[in-house]
Amino acid sequence: MKKTFELIAPCHFGMEAVLKREITDLGYDIASVEDGRVTFIGDDEAICRGNVFLRTAERVLLKVGSFHAESFEELFQGTKAICWEDYIPQDGKFWVAKASSIKSKLFSPSDIQSIMKKAMVERLKGAYGVEWFPETGSSYPLRVFLHKDEVTVGIDTTGDSLHKRGYRTLTSKAPITETLAAALIMLTPWNKDRILVDPFCGSGTFVIEAAMMAANMAPGMNRSFLSEDWKNLIPRKCWYETMDEANDLLDSNVKVDIQGYDIDGDIVKAARANAESAGVDHMIHFQERPLAALSHPKKYGFIITNPPYGERIEEKKNLPDLYRQIGERYKALDAWSLYMITAYEEAEKYIGRKADKNRKIYNGMMKTYFYQFMGPKPPRPR
């Protein structure tokens, strides 16, 4: 019988329900849902499949322990009690890559990192009967969360964050992350049979993520992961089988109507290059086009977009006219829906309609709003 683990998948605050649904759809049981993370149960195969298939997770952590600590001595002893030898080989490279603390007596990340490293060394000295570790082998970086003096310890299986799909080499001024873009699309009822337009496409993230979903393209199939080198925990066969599964599910010939526009021609070229890198350029129509030209003859389409929200003071004076124009162009479309993420708090006022739903999302440290203006559903085919 395969060994099972608790796996932690961090995500953007407010996107936990979307990630939970993704994990459930992959076939894994949910252990807990907390602010900014979902914990689930899975084996070595789940580590591979989580990294390759999850669109909205930031990374996948292998949970190795949790304990209460109000002092550095309790932190040291709690860390030392974890069976590190079950996870880290004698030549493994190990360190605390990140420590975060909320409402806890221990709050200094550098002190937490230093003490936990010492405790791990002490444990592994006894386990392997050595006084020194070369750390020349595979990497096992730790991520540690302290919340109300409860310490949760996970080993990062991912490496570079999962939002780095590998396709976005060129970006616009204020790009939205790939994981957040995917999560926002998944909050809408859009599917591959419906029109999708982003009139502020920037580097193309929304339309590229939508095209990848339409083609059933696994977001991690064109990149590598840190735990691919963990031969002590994950057989290479697991990675091969997961990539075979991803390739079997891919439908790159799917027919879609996905369009990305931007007023900046250079940005459109960059978006097109990103789409080509992702392997979905044939699925997206890119064009240099102003917002004023936004139109479509068909009904029941979707606008999903991240318009400018005035990061600089001199830009803010243009926002009322911009958002008023968004509202006007939206009203001119027949039975469409509008989904928009922005940090501009007066967006609804100038759109000219109260949003059907308004979800607060923390994009990094910035509070943003996901406005959802829902049009009618198309009639069911007879």
Side-chain angles (χ1 to χ4, degrees), residues 273-304:
N274 288 338
E276 185 176 355
S277 179
V280 295
D281 53 308
H282 63 290
M283 299 171 62
I284 306 168
H285 174 67
F286 287 106
Q287 188 177 345
E288 180 182 344
R289 191 172 178 182
L291 173 65
L294 175 60
S295 64
H296 202 289
K298 293 184 180 178
K299 298 176 71 170
Y300 308 117
F302 283 71
I303 299 170
I304 305 179

PDB file of all heavy atoms in Angstrom, residues 273-304:
ATOM      1  N   ALA A 273       3.408  36.637 -28.565  1.00  0.00           N
ATOM      2  CA  ALA A 273       4.607  35.814 -28.336  1.00  0.00           C
ATOM      3  C   ALA A 273       4.416  34.892 -27.131  1.00  0.00           C
ATOM      4  O   ALA A 273       4.828  33.726 -27.150  1.00  0.00           O
ATOM      5  CB  ALA A 273       5.826  36.712 -28.131  1.00  0.00           C
ATOM      6  N   ASN A 274       3.772  35.401 -26.072  1.00  0.00           N
ATOM      7  CA  ASN A 274       3.497  34.577 -24.899  1.00  0.00           C
ATOM      8  C   ASN A 274       2.550  33.423 -25.244  1.00  0.00           C
ATOM      9  O   ASN A 274       2.729  32.290 -24.797  1.00  0.00           O
ATOM     10  CB  ASN A 274       2.899  35.424 -23.777  1.00  0.00           C
ATOM     11  CG  ASN A 274       3.908  36.355 -23.143  1.00  0.00           C
ATOM     12  OD1 ASN A 274       5.111  36.131 -23.221  1.00  0.00           O
ATOM     13  ND2 ASN A 274       3.421  37.414 -22.504  1.00  0.00           N
ATOM     14  N   ALA A 275       1.530  33.730 -26.045  1.00  0.00           N
ATOM     15  CA  ALA A 275       0.573  32.695 -26.458  1.00  0.00           C
ATOM     16  C   ALA A 275       1.258  31.633 -27.297  1.00  0.00           C
ATOM     17  O   ALA A 275       0.964  30.433 -27.182  1.00  0.00           O
ATOM     18  CB  ALA A 275      -0.584  33.330 -27.232  1.00  0.00           C
ATOM     19  N   GLU A 276       2.177  32.062 -28.145  1.00  0.00           N
ATOM     20  CA  GLU A 276       2.927  31.107 -28.963  1.00  0.00           C
ATOM     21  C   GLU A 276       3.781  30.209 -28.075  1.00  0.00           C
ATOM     22  O   GLU A 276       3.867  28.992 -28.284  1.00  0.00           O
ATOM     23  CB  GLU A 276       3.809  31.865 -29.962  1.00  0.00           C
ATOM     24  CG  GLU A 276       4.537  30.955 -30.945  1.00  0.00           C
ATOM     25  CD  GLU A 276       5.326  31.728 -31.983  1.00  0.00           C
ATOM     26  OE1 GLU A 276       5.246  32.973 -32.005  1.00  0.00           O
ATOM     27  OE2 GLU A 276       6.036  31.085 -32.776  1.00  0.00           O
ATOM     28  N   SER A 277       4.408  30.817 -27.065  1.00  0.00           N
ATOM     29  CA  SER A 277       5.228  30.056 -26.126  1.00  0.00           C
ATOM     30  C   SER A 277       4.384  29.031 -25.364  1.00  0.00           C
ATOM     31  O   SER A 277       4.849  27.929 -25.066  1.00  0.00           O
ATOM     32  CB  SER A 277       5.916  31.012 -25.146  1.00  0.00           C
ATOM     33  OG  SER A 277       6.698  30.312 -24.220  1.00  0.00           O
ATOM     34  N   ALA A 278       3.129  29.393 -25.071  1.00  0.00           N
ATOM     35  CA  ALA A 278       2.223  28.488 -24.361  1.00  0.00           C
ATOM     36  C   ALA A 278       1.641  27.415 -25.273  1.00  0.00           C
ATOM     37  O   ALA A 278       1.046  26.443 -24.811  1.00  0.00           O
ATOM     38  CB  ALA A 278       1.088  29.278 -23.712  1.00  0.00           C
ATOM     39  N   GLY A 279       1.764  27.599 -26.597  1.00  0.00           N
ATOM     40  CA  GLY A 279       1.215  26.635 -27.542  1.00  0.00           C
ATOM     41  C   GLY A 279      -0.251  26.834 -27.845  1.00  0.00           C
ATOM     42  O   GLY A 279      -0.929  25.924 -28.327  1.00  0.00           O
ATOM     43  N   VAL A 280      -0.768  28.065 -27.588  1.00  0.00           N
ATOM     44  CA  VAL A 280      -2.198  28.323 -27.822  1.00  0.00           C
ATOM     45  C   VAL A 280      -2.419  29.525 -28.738  1.00  0.00           C
ATOM     46  O   VAL A 280      -3.537  30.044 -28.816  1.00  0.00           O
ATOM     47  CB  VAL A 280      -2.960  28.537 -26.483  1.00  0.00           C
ATOM     48  CG1 VAL A 280      -2.942  27.264 -25.639  1.00  0.00           C
ATOM     49  CG2 VAL A 280      -2.365  29.708 -25.692  1.00  0.00           C
ATOM     50  N   ASP A 281      -1.384  29.980 -29.427  1.00  0.00           N
ATOM     51  CA  ASP A 281      -1.523  31.176 -30.272  1.00  0.00           C
ATOM     52  C   ASP A 281      -2.547  30.975 -31.387  1.00  0.00           C
ATOM     53  O   ASP A 281      -3.202  31.934 -31.813  1.00  0.00           O
ATOM     54  CB  ASP A 281      -0.171  31.587 -30.862  1.00  0.00           C
ATOM     55  CG  ASP A 281       0.533  30.445 -31.580  1.00  0.00           C
ATOM     56  OD1 ASP A 281       0.677  29.368 -30.978  1.00  0.00           O
ATOM     57  OD2 ASP A 281       0.941  30.631 -32.747  1.00  0.00           O
ATOM     58  N   HIS A 282      -2.721  29.731 -31.842  1.00  0.00           N
ATOM     59  CA  HIS A 282      -3.696  29.461 -32.911  1.00  0.00           C
ATOM     60  C   HIS A 282      -5.138  29.542 -32.417  1.00  0.00           C
ATOM     61  O   HIS A 282      -6.080  29.547 -33.216  1.00  0.00           O
ATOM     62  CB  HIS A 282      -3.443  28.059 -33.498  1.00  0.00           C
ATOM     63  CG  HIS A 282      -3.631  26.945 -32.517  1.00  0.00           C
ATOM     64  ND1 HIS A 282      -2.777  26.727 -31.460  1.00  0.00           N
ATOM     65  CD2 HIS A 282      -4.594  25.986 -32.431  1.00  0.00           C
ATOM     66  CE1 HIS A 282      -3.192  25.683 -30.767  1.00  0.00           C
ATOM     67  NE2 HIS A 282      -4.292  25.224 -31.328  1.00  0.00           N
ATOM     68  N   MET A 283      -5.325  29.629 -31.102  1.00  0.00           N
ATOM     69  CA  MET A 283      -6.663  29.651 -30.509  1.00  0.00           C
ATOM     70  C   MET A 283      -7.134  31.061 -30.157  1.00  0.00           C
ATOM     71  O   MET A 283      -8.297  31.252 -29.785  1.00  0.00           O
ATOM     72  CB  MET A 283      -6.682  28.785 -29.238  1.00  0.00           C
ATOM     73  CG  MET A 283      -6.354  27.323 -29.482  1.00  0.00           C
ATOM     74  SD  MET A 283      -6.142  26.409 -27.928  1.00  0.00           S
ATOM     75  CE  MET A 283      -7.759  26.587 -27.188  1.00  0.00           C
ATOM     76  N   ILE A 284      -6.238  32.049 -30.251  1.00  0.00           N
ATOM     77  CA  ILE A 284      -6.554  33.398 -29.780  1.00  0.00           C
ATOM     78  C   ILE A 284      -6.353  34.411 -30.901  1.00  0.00           C
ATOM     79  O   ILE A 284      -5.340  34.381 -31.599  1.00  0.00           O
ATOM     80  CB  ILE A 284      -5.657  33.789 -28.581  1.00  0.00           C
ATOM     81  CG1 ILE A 284      -5.736  32.738 -27.465  1.00  0.00           C
ATOM     82  CG2 ILE A 284      -6.050  35.162 -28.040  1.00  0.00           C
ATOM     83  CD1 ILE A 284      -4.674  32.913 -26.390  1.00  0.00           C
ATOM     84  N   HIS A 285      -7.327  35.305 -31.049  1.00  0.00           N
ATOM     85  CA  HIS A 285      -7.189  36.404 -32.012  1.00  0.00           C
ATOM     86  C   HIS A 285      -6.734  37.642 -31.256  1.00  0.00           C
ATOM     87  O   HIS A 285      -7.459  38.185 -30.419  1.00  0.00           O
ATOM     88  CB  HIS A 285      -8.527  36.685 -32.704  1.00  0.00           C
ATOM     89  CG  HIS A 285      -8.488  37.897 -33.589  1.00  0.00           C
ATOM     90  ND1 HIS A 285      -7.733  37.962 -34.738  1.00  0.00           N
ATOM     91  CD2 HIS A 285      -9.105  39.111 -33.473  1.00  0.00           C
ATOM     92  CE1 HIS A 285      -7.880  39.142 -35.304  1.00  0.00           C
ATOM     93  NE2 HIS A 285      -8.710  39.858 -34.552  1.00  0.00           N
ATOM     94  N   PHE A 286      -5.507  38.087 -31.505  1.00  0.00           N
ATOM     95  CA  PHE A 286      -4.971  39.298 -30.899  1.00  0.00           C
ATOM     96  C   PHE A 286      -5.038  40.447 -31.896  1.00  0.00           C
ATOM     97  O   PHE A 286      -4.839  40.246 -33.097  1.00  0.00           O
ATOM     98  CB  PHE A 286      -3.500  39.099 -30.487  1.00  0.00           C
ATOM     99  CG  PHE A 286      -3.307  38.221 -29.286  1.00  0.00           C
ATOM    100  CD1 PHE A 286      -2.832  36.925 -29.427  1.00  0.00           C
ATOM    101  CD2 PHE A 286      -3.582  38.695 -28.012  1.00  0.00           C
ATOM    102  CE1 PHE A 286      -2.640  36.113 -28.316  1.00  0.00           C
ATOM    103  CE2 PHE A 286      -3.393  37.892 -26.898  1.00  0.00           C
ATOM    104  CZ  PHE A 286      -2.922  36.598 -27.046  1.00  0.00           C
ATOM    105  N   GLN A 287      -5.305  41.657 -31.374  1.00  0.00           N
ATOM    106  CA  GLN A 287      -5.374  42.808 -32.264  1.00  0.00           C
ATOM    107  C   GLN A 287      -5.101  44.094 -31.481  1.00  0.00           C
ATOM    108  O   GLN A 287      -5.542  44.236 -30.331  1.00  0.00           O
ATOM    109  CB  GLN A 287      -6.758  42.893 -32.914  1.00  0.00           C
ATOM    110  CG  GLN A 287      -6.860  43.943 -34.003  1.00  0.00           C
ATOM    111  CD  GLN A 287      -8.251  43.928 -34.668  1.00  0.00           C
ATOM    112  OE1 GLN A 287      -9.011  42.982 -34.519  1.00  0.00           O
ATOM    113  NE2 GLN A 287      -8.566  44.989 -35.375  1.00  0.00           N
ATOM    114  N   GLU A 288      -4.364  45.016 -32.126  1.00  0.00           N
ATOM    115  CA  GLU A 288      -4.205  46.359 -31.555  1.00  0.00           C
ATOM    116  C   GLU A 288      -5.522  47.094 -31.784  1.00  0.00           C
ATOM    117  O   GLU A 288      -5.924  47.334 -32.929  1.00  0.00           O
ATOM    118  CB  GLU A 288      -3.051  47.088 -32.255  1.00  0.00           C
ATOM    119  CG  GLU A 288      -2.812  48.484 -31.730  1.00  0.00           C
ATOM    120  CD  GLU A 288      -1.705  49.204 -32.476  1.00  0.00           C
ATOM    121  OE1 GLU A 288      -0.921  48.546 -33.195  1.00  0.00           O
ATOM    122  OE2 GLU A 288      -1.620  50.446 -32.345  1.00  0.00           O
ATOM    123  N   ARG A 289      -6.191  47.447 -30.688  1.00  0.00           N
ATOM    124  CA  ARG A 289      -7.553  47.960 -30.828  1.00  0.00           C
ATOM    125  C   ARG A 289      -7.934  48.751 -29.578  1.00  0.00           C
ATOM    126  O   ARG A 289      -7.742  48.276 -28.465  1.00  0.00           O
ATOM    127  CB  ARG A 289      -8.500  46.769 -31.003  1.00  0.00           C
ATOM    128  CG  ARG A 289      -9.904  47.092 -31.407  1.00  0.00           C
ATOM    129  CD  ARG A 289     -10.616  45.774 -31.710  1.00  0.00           C
ATOM    130  NE  ARG A 289     -12.003  45.962 -32.065  1.00  0.00           N
ATOM    131  CZ  ARG A 289     -12.846  44.971 -32.331  1.00  0.00           C
ATOM    132  NH1 ARG A 289     -12.427  43.719 -32.295  1.00  0.00           N
ATOM    133  NH2 ARG A 289     -14.097  45.211 -32.649  1.00  0.00           N
ATOM    134  N   PRO A 290      -8.493  49.948 -29.720  1.00  0.00           N
ATOM    135  CA  PRO A 290      -8.893  50.730 -28.545  1.00  0.00           C
ATOM    136  C   PRO A 290     -10.200  50.208 -27.943  1.00  0.00           C
ATOM    137  O   PRO A 290     -10.980  49.520 -28.614  1.00  0.00           O
ATOM    138  CB  PRO A 290      -9.076  52.136 -29.105  1.00  0.00           C
ATOM    139  CG  PRO A 290      -9.479  51.906 -30.532  1.00  0.00           C
ATOM    140  CD  PRO A 290      -8.736  50.673 -30.975  1.00  0.00           C
ATOM    141  N   LEU A 291     -10.436  50.557 -26.705  1.00  0.00           N
ATOM    142  CA  LEU A 291     -11.675  50.162 -26.035  1.00  0.00           C
ATOM    143  C   LEU A 291     -12.903  50.650 -26.804  1.00  0.00           C
ATOM    144  O   LEU A 291     -13.914  49.941 -26.879  1.00  0.00           O
ATOM    145  CB  LEU A 291     -11.681  50.730 -24.608  1.00  0.00           C
ATOM    146  CG  LEU A 291     -12.962  50.558 -23.808  1.00  0.00           C
ATOM    147  CD1 LEU A 291     -13.236  49.074 -23.547  1.00  0.00           C
ATOM    148  CD2 LEU A 291     -12.874  51.322 -22.486  1.00  0.00           C
ATOM    149  N   ALA A 292     -12.819  51.820 -27.389  1.00  0.00           N
ATOM    150  CA  ALA A 292     -13.967  52.401 -28.104  1.00  0.00           C
ATOM    151  C   ALA A 292     -14.442  51.518 -29.247  1.00  0.00           C
ATOM    152  O   ALA A 292     -15.598  51.606 -29.676  1.00  0.00           O
ATOM    153  CB  ALA A 292     -13.606  53.782 -28.636  1.00  0.00           C
ATOM    154  N   ALA A 293     -13.553  50.639 -29.749  1.00  0.00           N
ATOM    155  CA  ALA A 293     -13.914  49.768 -30.873  1.00  0.00           C
ATOM    156  C   ALA A 293     -14.441  48.407 -30.412  1.00  0.00           C
ATOM    157  O   ALA A 293     -14.666  47.525 -31.244  1.00  0.00           O
ATOM    158  CB  ALA A 293     -12.697  49.569 -31.776  1.00  0.00           C
ATOM    159  N   LEU A 294     -14.643  48.235 -29.112  1.00  0.00           N
ATOM    160  CA  LEU A 294     -15.122  46.952 -28.604  1.00  0.00           C
ATOM    161  C   LEU A 294     -16.556  46.682 -29.073  1.00  0.00           C
ATOM    162  O   LEU A 294     -17.477  47.432 -28.750  1.00  0.00           O
ATOM    163  CB  LEU A 294     -15.066  46.930 -27.076  1.00  0.00           C
ATOM    164  CG  LEU A 294     -15.654  45.689 -26.388  1.00  0.00           C
ATOM    165  CD1 LEU A 294     -14.924  44.424 -26.823  1.00  0.00           C
ATOM    166  CD2 LEU A 294     -15.597  45.835 -24.873  1.00  0.00           C
ATOM    167  N   SER A 295     -16.719  45.625 -29.855  1.00  0.00           N
ATOM    168  CA  SER A 295     -18.047  45.228 -30.320  1.00  0.00           C
ATOM    169  C   SER A 295     -17.998  43.767 -30.731  1.00  0.00           C
ATOM    170  O   SER A 295     -16.914  43.212 -30.942  1.00  0.00           O
ATOM    171  CB  SER A 295     -18.495  46.090 -31.511  1.00  0.00           C
ATOM    172  OG  SER A 295     -17.638  45.867 -32.617  1.00  0.00           O
ATOM    173  N   HIS A 296     -19.161  43.149 -30.819  1.00  0.00           N
ATOM    174  CA  HIS A 296     -19.238  41.756 -31.288  1.00  0.00           C
ATOM    175  C   HIS A 296     -20.672  41.505 -31.740  1.00  0.00           C
ATOM    176  O   HIS A 296     -21.619  41.898 -31.057  1.00  0.00           O
ATOM    177  CB  HIS A 296     -18.856  40.787 -30.170  1.00  0.00           C
ATOM    178  CG  HIS A 296     -18.409  39.449 -30.692  1.00  0.00           C
ATOM    179  ND1 HIS A 296     -19.281  38.537 -31.264  1.00  0.00           N
ATOM    180  CD2 HIS A 296     -17.179  38.863 -30.731  1.00  0.00           C
ATOM    181  CE1 HIS A 296     -18.602  37.449 -31.624  1.00  0.00           C
ATOM    182  NE2 HIS A 296     -17.337  37.623 -31.316  1.00  0.00           N
ATOM    183  N   PRO A 297     -20.852  40.871 -32.893  1.00  0.00           N
ATOM    184  CA  PRO A 297     -22.211  40.676 -33.406  1.00  0.00           C
ATOM    185  C   PRO A 297     -23.002  39.595 -32.675  1.00  0.00           C
ATOM    186  O   PRO A 297     -24.240  39.567 -32.752  1.00  0.00           O
ATOM    187  CB  PRO A 297     -21.982  40.265 -34.866  1.00  0.00           C
ATOM    188  CG  PRO A 297     -20.623  39.626 -34.875  1.00  0.00           C
ATOM    189  CD  PRO A 297     -19.832  40.374 -33.849  1.00  0.00           C
ATOM    190  N   LYS A 298     -22.321  38.704 -31.969  1.00  0.00           N
ATOM    191  CA  LYS A 298     -23.014  37.566 -31.344  1.00  0.00           C
ATOM    192  C   LYS A 298     -23.448  37.872 -29.914  1.00  0.00           C
ATOM    193  O   LYS A 298     -22.928  38.787 -29.271  1.00  0.00           O
ATOM    194  CB  LYS A 298     -22.120  36.330 -31.380  1.00  0.00           C
ATOM    195  CG  LYS A 298     -21.862  35.806 -32.789  1.00  0.00           C
ATOM    196  CD  LYS A 298     -21.054  34.515 -32.751  1.00  0.00           C
ATOM    197  CE  LYS A 298     -20.805  33.994 -34.176  1.00  0.00           C
ATOM    198  NZ  LYS A 298     -19.983  32.759 -34.167  1.00  0.00           N
ATOM    199  N   LYS A 299     -24.389  37.060 -29.426  1.00  0.00           N
ATOM    200  CA  LYS A 299     -24.923  37.228 -28.071  1.00  0.00           C
ATOM    201  C   LYS A 299     -24.184  36.320 -27.083  1.00  0.00           C
ATOM    202  O   LYS A 299     -23.479  35.407 -27.467  1.00  0.00           O
ATOM    203  CB  LYS A 299     -26.412  36.878 -28.053  1.00  0.00           C
ATOM    204  CG  LYS A 299     -27.268  37.770 -28.935  1.00  0.00           C
ATOM    205  CD  LYS A 299     -28.720  37.316 -28.953  1.00  0.00           C
ATOM    206  CE  LYS A 299     -29.421  37.576 -27.635  1.00  0.00           C
ATOM    207  NZ  LYS A 299     -30.891  37.351 -27.736  1.00  0.00           N
ATOM    208  N   TYR A 300     -24.413  36.613 -25.795  1.00  0.00           N
ATOM    209  CA  TYR A 300     -24.021  35.738 -24.679  1.00  0.00           C
ATOM    210  C   TYR A 300     -22.509  35.549 -24.525  1.00  0.00           C
ATOM    211  O   TYR A 300     -22.043  34.511 -24.096  1.00  0.00           O
ATOM    212  CB  TYR A 300     -24.695  34.361 -24.808  1.00  0.00           C
ATOM    213  CG  TYR A 300     -26.185  34.423 -24.992  1.00  0.00           C
ATOM    214  CD1 TYR A 300     -26.793  33.948 -26.153  1.00  0.00           C
ATOM    215  CD2 TYR A 300     -26.996  34.984 -24.003  1.00  0.00           C
ATOM    216  CE1 TYR A 300     -28.169  34.009 -26.330  1.00  0.00           C
ATOM    217  CE2 TYR A 300     -28.375  35.061 -24.166  1.00  0.00           C
ATOM    218  CZ  TYR A 300     -28.950  34.567 -25.334  1.00  0.00           C
ATOM    219  OH  TYR A 300     -30.322  34.643 -25.499  1.00  0.00           O
ATOM    220  N   GLY A 301     -21.749  36.581 -24.883  1.00  0.00           N
ATOM    221  CA  GLY A 301     -20.301  36.492 -24.703  1.00  0.00           C
ATOM    222  C   GLY A 301     -19.867  36.956 -23.319  1.00  0.00           C
ATOM    223  O   GLY A 301     -20.685  37.387 -22.486  1.00  0.00           O
ATOM    224  N   PHE A 302     -18.563  36.865 -23.092  1.00  0.00           N
ATOM    225  CA  PHE A 302     -17.976  37.246 -21.806  1.00  0.00           C
ATOM    226  C   PHE A 302     -16.845  38.247 -22.026  1.00  0.00           C
ATOM    227  O   PHE A 302     -16.006  38.055 -22.912  1.00  0.00           O
ATOM    228  CB  PHE A 302     -17.365  36.024 -21.112  1.00  0.00           C
ATOM    229  CG  PHE A 302     -18.359  35.099 -20.469  1.00  0.00           C
ATOM    230  CD1 PHE A 302     -19.191  34.304 -21.248  1.00  0.00           C
ATOM    231  CD2 PHE A 302     -18.464  35.013 -19.089  1.00  0.00           C
ATOM    232  CE1 PHE A 302     -20.102  33.451 -20.672  1.00  0.00           C
ATOM    233  CE2 PHE A 302     -19.370  34.154 -18.502  1.00  0.00           C
ATOM    234  CZ  PHE A 302     -20.191  33.369 -19.288  1.00  0.00           C
ATOM    235  N   ILE A 303     -16.833  39.290 -21.208  1.00  0.00           N
ATOM    236  CA  ILE A 303     -15.648  40.128 -21.059  1.00  0.00           C
ATOM    237  C   ILE A 303     -15.032  39.752 -19.715  1.00  0.00           C
ATOM    238  O   ILE A 303     -15.699  39.832 -18.679  1.00  0.00           O
ATOM    239  CB  ILE A 303     -15.995  41.626 -21.058  1.00  0.00           C
ATOM    240  CG1 ILE A 303     -16.647  42.045 -22.372  1.00  0.00           C
ATOM    241  CG2 ILE A 303     -14.740  42.463 -20.803  1.00  0.00           C
ATOM    242  CD1 ILE A 303     -17.225  43.460 -22.331  1.00  0.00           C
ATOM    243  N   ILE A 304     -13.791  39.316 -19.734  1.00  0.00           N
ATOM    244  CA  ILE A 304     -13.054  39.052 -18.492  1.00  0.00           C
ATOM    245  C   ILE A 304     -11.759  39.845 -18.599  1.00  0.00           C
ATOM    246  O   ILE A 304     -10.967  39.619 -19.517  1.00  0.00           O
ATOM    247  CB  ILE A 304     -12.765  37.554 -18.291  1.00  0.00           C
ATOM    248  CG1 ILE A 304     -14.069  36.745 -18.341  1.00  0.00           C
ATOM    249  CG2 ILE A 304     -12.039  37.332 -16.964  1.00  0.00           C
ATOM    250  CD1 ILE A 304     -13.883  35.236 -18.171  1.00  0.00           C
TER     251      ILE A 304
END
